[in-house]
Amino acid sequence: RVPFSFPQAIMRGEDISKPVLQVINTRAIATGNGPPRYRVLMSDGVNTLSSFMLATQLNFLVEEERMSAQCICQVNKFIVNTLKDGRRVVILMDLDVLKTADKVGGNIGNPVPYNEGEWQQRPSAPAANPAPSKPQQQNSNLAVAGKSPAAAPKYHAPSNQFGKASAPSSVKTPGGSQAKVVPIASLNPYQSKWTICARVTQKGQIRTWSNSRGEGKLFSIELVDESGEIRATAFNDQADKFFPLIELNKVYYFTKGVLKTANKQYTAVKNDYEMTFTNETSVVPCDDAQHLPSVQFDFVSISDLENTPKDSIVDVIGICKSYEDVTKITRKANNREVSKRNVHLMDTSGKLVTATLWGSEAEQFDGSRQPVIAIKGARLSDFGGRSLSVLSSSTVVINPDSPEAFKLRGWYEFDSEGQLLECTSISDVRGGPASGVNTNWKTLFEAKSENLGQGDKADYFSCVGTVVHLRKENCMYQACPSQDCNKKVIDQQNGLYRCEKCDREFPNFKYRMMLLVTIADCLEYQWVTCFQESAEFILGQNAAFLGELKEKNEQAFEEVFQNANFNTYEFRIRVKLETYNDESRIKATAVDVKPVNYREYSKRLIASIRRNAQLG
């Protein structure tokens, strides 16, 4: 009777459930700039086979010497690929190291190299006998490894595998031809003929480029199946051909394309390779694929972004706590005007981050009902602490149909903790003011005791303060009337006013305010400088009217300042250590002043009382 051979069963495409094999040797294969690939010689005690290739996500097993010569492994998931020359390669997608090499002590049995042609001439094992789940016992070492896997350390493929990568199957495409459909996770540059069935989860717009080498166009898509995801790009003629054919969230058969090592700098897709469409690429709709997943996220908590490296590509989800109006900016690269909108996201960690939307997404966004926003592939920046920018390759989903979104919505709307939690921004602790949202709430005592403003960059915080004094002396000055200039002018005593910055004389001027006020809360007070808009809001009058009032009615001018005392506002304050005449002091400037939102203020007070009660 011919002994059963796992290599024979695997190479013939038989259904093998978790074979247990011994590693005879591993060898690294150079792949240029990409991660190394490891070729593995394995044995079942009867035959050896050198056609095993380790998936790159399992490279750590070799590099950390967990998978070395003579160790015993259980192969949980594998895929057989056929190369151009007809040779077959077995990709090891997931395995457990049941017994390390030092506990085995040598090769098991006397295996001989497997020869596919030789086995084809021999009769195969009877069909009535199913393939065993482990090789024939050649000695006690293998028997122990097969029976006691729980006693040995277990290693799995990384969690970015979305489902089971089943063996390739043949299906009939709508065109009537037979195509071997393989999972995305099995794709590699060594394959020439393949077909995948995948859902389009992201589709970018056509972009153009022009440089010394010429000009062209491209667009990119992201594809997902049950085994993983991959990014694909079409250039020039292929971009014109496929852009109108491919629709977001639809499922297609994709056949043939060039696979190369992915540039991780520009994508968050969890795949070592990316696809480029060619003249031979075909895309055929698939109507029967409801089982395929939609967008796959690997969410990072907003609090963890503080310790994530700059320029990382991340997935985040959060409640839209607030959002800003759309603004227009001009990009220096191409001098084009583009729309921009900042949204402020919060999650259960109590941290808040600013994310920037661009273009049509910025213009169409509606955050009035505080939706849950999931962003796939945002770039992390260190501008203003930590902030996110949505790229052209990013995917933004409003109120996604996912467990994470339902949990977040329930926590925020129905859990008292979510309603009362005082969020802290990671986007404006150091750097920019994150205008449009009051976060990083402090009392004046906390701001001073935490030494805000003592660092290299300015600090920003929000507080509720009452105006207790206003210094009206020198609170106004005569400024240049030019639209973009606020410099003080010099009275030439001839009816003209000279601006040194503009190097011009004007027949008029405009009043600008620089009001110094003292604000106080229950514990501390602080001198704060308020410029034009903030000063006008506190005084309730514009600068032009106040200037005229000062000249014509000194008593009415005094009353304006008296009426402004003892009013309470929300202040957004910038603090920075400045040195003048060899004396260093903290300068506080009001970035924004607005009425107190007593509903939100009460929530913060209640949350503070609860925290203090727990500490007590």
Side-chain angles (χ1 to χ4, degrees):
R1 184 174 181 270
V2 178
F4 177 83
S5 168
F6 276 114
Q8 177 202 20
I10 290 174
M11 299 302 279
R12 292 178 61 173
E14 296 181 14
D15 185 15
I16 305 298
S17 175
K18 298 183 178 181
V20 177
L21 304 173
Q22 182 178 34
V23 175
I24 304 300
N25 190 24
T26 60
R27 180 165 62 90
I29 300 174
T31 58
N33 296 328
R37 300 301 300 266
Y38 289 98
R39 188 173 180 178
V40 187
L41 177 65
M42 304 191 82
S43 164
D44 66 346
V46 177
N47 290 111
T48 60
L49 182 66
S50 61
S51 299
F52 293 97
M53 189 78 72
L54 195 66
T56 54
Q57 66 262 25
L58 300 181
N59 281 358
F60 72 97
L61 293 177
V62 176
E63 293 162 356
E64 296 177 7
E65 298 185 354
R66 301 177 183 179
M67 181 179 176
S68 57
Q70 299 179 354
C71 75
I72 305 297
C73 300
Q74 176 178 288
V75 179
N76 299 321
K77 190 187 302 180
F78 65 90
I79 298 166
V80 180
N81 286 336
T82 303
L83 305 182
K84 290 181 180 180
D85 57 6
R87 291 183 297 117
R88 295 177 181 173
V89 176
V90 182
I91 310 296
L92 302 175
M93 302 300 298
D94 184 20
L95 59 82
D96 298 333
V97 177
L98 301 181
K99 208 165 197 181
T100 54
D102 58 330
K103 296 180 180 179
V104 178
N107 292 344
I108 298 172
N110 297 299
V112 296
Y114 168 73
N115 185 300
E116 187 171 359
E118 177 182 346
W119 276 101
Q120 287 174 347
Q121 296 172 3
R122 296 185 180 185
S124 59
N129 295 330
S133 61
K134 57 185 178 180
Q136 293 182 353
Q137 311 304 315
Q138 299 295 326
N139 63 20
S140 59
N141 283 333
L142 186 55
V144 172
K147 293 180 180 179
S148 307
K154 195 171 186 179
Y155 307 104
H156 295 283
S159 60
N160 62 9
Q161 298 299 325
F162 303 125
K164 183 178 178 181
S166 58
S169 61
S170 294
V171 298
K172 181 173 290 188
T173 67
S177 61
Q178 290 291 327
K180 178 180 286 187
V181 176
V182 300
I184 287 176
S186 72
L187 294 179
N188 63 73
Y190 310 106
Q191 296 169 278
S192 59
K193 297 180 180 180
W194 47 262
T195 296
I196 59 172
C197 182
R199 186 184 301 277
V200 179
T201 58
Q202 196 276 338
K203 180 185 177 184
Q205 295 298 315
I206 289 184
R207 293 180 290 146
T208 59
W209 81 86
S210 178
N211 54 34
S212 58
R213 293 180 293 178
E215 57 185 28
K217 65 182 71 173
L218 64 88
F219 82 96
S220 296
I221 58 176
E222 292 177 10
L223 308 174
V224 167
D225 70 3
E226 291 177 316
S227 72
E229 58 184 347
I230 194 169
R231 185 170 185 251
T233 303
F235 293 89
N236 300 325
D237 293 343
Q238 279 70 45
D240 291 333
K241 175 182 177 181
F242 291 115
F243 187 82
L245 298 179
I246 296 175
E247 297 181 34
L248 190 64
N249 291 324
K250 294 293 183 65
V251 178
Y252 301 88
Y253 292 105
F254 295 86
T255 302
K256 290 189 178 181
V258 174
L259 293 162
K260 62 179 182 179
T261 302
N263 188 338
K264 298 293 187 179
Q265 183 179 356
Y266 300 107
T267 177
V269 172
K270 306 295 190 298
N271 199 315
D272 292 326
Y273 303 109
E274 59 187 12
M275 182 193 310
T276 301
F277 291 168
T278 68
N279 292 330
E280 296 182 339
T281 301
S282 70
V283 179
V284 180
C286 174
D287 298 325
D288 185 22
Q290 299 300 319
H291 63 285
L292 290 183
S294 55
V295 182
Q296 299 292 331
F297 294 96
D298 186 11
F299 292 121
V300 176
S301 170
I302 292 176
S303 62
D304 292 339
L305 296 178
E306 293 182 281
N307 301 315
T308 303
K310 171 191 173 186
D311 293 330
S312 296
I313 304 297
V314 296
D315 301 349
V316 295
I317 187 171
I319 291 282
C320 179
K321 186 74 172 175
S322 61
Y323 63 101
E324 301 173 21
D325 293 333
V326 174
T327 58
K328 300 283 188 179
I329 65 169
T330 302
R331 286 180 169 167
K332 295 180 180 179
N334 51 21
N335 205 33
R336 290 182 180 175
E337 190 178 72
V338 63
S339 299
K340 170 188 175 183
R341 186 198 295 268
N342 287 337
V343 298
H344 309 285
L345 306 180
M346 182 187 76
D347 65 7
T348 56
S349 67
K351 299 291 185 177
L352 182 142
V353 67
T354 299
T356 303
L357 304 177
W358 301 93
S360 59
E361 280 184 334
E363 295 170 353
Q364 298 169 10
F365 176 78
D366 179 11
S368 58
R369 297 189 177 184
Q370 294 190 309
V372 175
I373 303 176
I375 306 176
K376 180 179 178 63
R379 184 184 298 281
L380 181 65
S381 166
D382 62 354
F383 177 75
R386 280 286 190 265
S387 58
L388 298 169
S389 181
V390 175
L391 309 176
S392 60
S393 60
S394 304
T395 301
V396 179
V397 183
I398 307 298
N399 291 324
D401 185 10
S402 69
E404 295 90 349
F406 297 145
K407 179 181 178 182
L408 193 59
R409 173 59 68 191
W411 168 81
Y412 185 70
E413 291 191 349
F414 305 108
D415 190 329
S416 59
E417 178 188 359
Q419 294 180 12
L420 300 175
L421 184 65
E422 179 182 345
C423 61
T424 302
S425 175
I426 66 172
S427 297
D428 59 340
V429 175
R430 299 282 176 185
S435 59
V437 59
N438 280 342
T439 55
N440 196 27
W441 289 95
K442 305 283 183 186
T443 63
L444 295 175
F445 175 79
E446 289 172 335
K448 290 184 178 181
S449 62
E450 294 175 14
N451 295 319
L452 294 185
Q454 302 279 1
D456 295 333
K457 295 182 179 180
D459 289 336
Y460 294 80
F461 70 94
S462 298
C463 70
V464 174
T466 301
V467 176
V468 296
H469 177 71
L470 302 98
R471 182 182 292 176
K472 61 179 180 294
E473 294 78 18
N474 301 319
C475 66
M476 307 175 70
Y477 66 93
Q478 296 172 342
C480 176
S482 298
Q483 182 176 356
D484 298 324
C485 182
N486 296 318
K487 289 294 184 180
K488 187 175 182 180
V489 295
I490 301 171
D491 189 347
Q492 301 294 92
Q493 304 299 324
N494 60 358
L496 298 176
Y497 302 87
R498 177 173 177 77
C499 175
E500 294 292 341
K501 180 182 178 183
C502 298
D503 194 21
R504 287 180 57 191
E505 292 183 349
F506 299 91
N508 61 335
F509 60 85
K510 64 185 178 186
Y511 277 110
R512 295 287 298 178
M513 302 206 66
M514 189 169 62
L515 178 66
L516 196 60
V517 304
T518 304
I519 65 172
D521 60 13
C522 59
L523 296 173
E524 262 288 359
Y525 72 92
Q526 175 69 55
W527 284 98
V528 179
T529 301
C530 300
F531 290 100
Q532 192 80 353
E533 290 79 8
S534 299
E536 289 178 339
F537 183 83
I538 291 174
L539 294 173
Q541 303 290 347
N542 62 52
F545 175 79
L546 290 170
E548 184 179 353
L549 204 62
K550 183 178 181 182
E551 294 176 359
K552 298 180 178 180
N553 192 339
E554 185 71 25
Q555 183 178 353
F557 183 74
E558 291 272 355
E559 289 180 357
V560 170
F561 280 79
Q562 291 175 6
N563 294 334
N565 269 316
F566 306 110
N567 292 319
T568 303
Y569 304 100
E570 290 182 357
F571 290 86
R572 185 76 180 147
I573 298 177
R574 176 189 188 270
V575 285
K576 181 73 174 69
L577 185 66
E578 295 187 355
T579 302
Y580 182 73
N581 289 338
D582 296 327
E583 182 180 354
S584 296
R585 64 176 62 183
I586 292 291
K587 181 178 180 180
T589 304
V591 177
D592 188 26
V593 182
K594 62 176 64 175
V596 178
N597 183 333
Y598 284 99
R599 181 173 181 268
E600 295 297 325
Y601 184 38
S602 298
K603 285 184 178 181
R604 293 194 299 274
L605 291 176
I606 293 171
S608 179
I609 292 171
R610 289 182 175 177
R611 285 197 303 270
N612 291 332
Q614 292 174 354
L615 292 175

